[in-house]
Amino acid sequence: MKQVQMKEVTAAVSAPLRAEGDLPKAYGDYVYVLDQELRQIYLEQKGIGKLLNDALMFLTAKLTEGFTFAQLNELYVSAALQWHYEQNVDIEKLVKSMKSDLHKGQTMLWMKEETDVRVGFLVS
């Protein structure tokens, strides 16, 4: 498991979003970065093996680089819901969609696509 010193991560944590000292108390002095093996173990423990074969589980662990436990859990829930409604899981599409949403959240670009449809009133 890779360990990153807290001081290296502190700059990425917005000060107004946390009280001073909360992260070190809650998580110790380190933030853990999930490698591919840990992501695969976590997904297996969640039960994603009931939805995907071994090759797809391996691929999923590879594609989810940078995901947190919470994001892996969200992926599992999305896959389970897709299986429930469609009896099929397109895990690559789910991961791609989550990565897109995460990127939009980081860049604050939610309305990226331009459309020809405009909503409003015409004044004559």
Side-chain angles (χ1 to χ4, degrees):
M1 193 175 325
K2 298 177 187 173
Q3 296 181 352
V4 178
Q5 289 289 342
M6 193 55 160
K7 62 185 175 192
E8 296 173 17
V9 178
T10 304
V13 178
S14 178
L17 296 179
R18 68 174 185 91
E20 188 172 336
D22 282 353
L23 277 174
K25 279 188 239 170
Y27 300 105
D29 292 329
Y30 300 96
V31 173
Y32 295 98
V33 178
L34 303 178
D35 62 12
Q36 182 175 341
E37 181 183 2
L38 286 174
R39 293 190 306 271
Q40 184 164 348
I41 290 169
Y42 181 77
L43 289 169
E44 287 171 358
Q45 289 180 349
K46 289 299 293 180
I48 205 163
K50 296 174 186 174
L51 308 173
L52 304 174
N53 62 34
D54 289 341
L56 283 176
M57 274 197 312
F58 180 81
L59 177 65
T60 303
K62 186 176 180 178
L63 293 174
T64 54
E65 183 176 354
F67 277 38
T68 64
F69 283 125
Q71 292 160 339
L72 291 173
N73 190 56
E74 181 182 343
L75 177 65
Y76 168 73
V77 171
S78 297
L81 284 170
Q82 189 176 49
W83 175 261
H84 177 75
Y85 289 110
E86 300 173 16
Q87 283 68 49
N88 187 26
V89 177
D90 187 348
I91 198 70
E92 291 180 66
K93 185 176 178 181
L94 288 174
V95 171
K96 185 177 179 181
S97 174
M98 282 186 67
K99 282 187 172 186
S100 173
D101 288 346
L102 292 170
H103 178 71
K104 288 176 184 178
Q106 291 168 348
T107 60
M108 305 301 256
L109 295 174
W110 291 99
M111 302 298 284
K112 191 165 130 181
E113 299 87 21
E114 289 291 324
T115 62
D116 293 333
V117 179
R118 301 283 188 224
V119 177
F121 298 96
L122 294 176
V123 179
S124 41

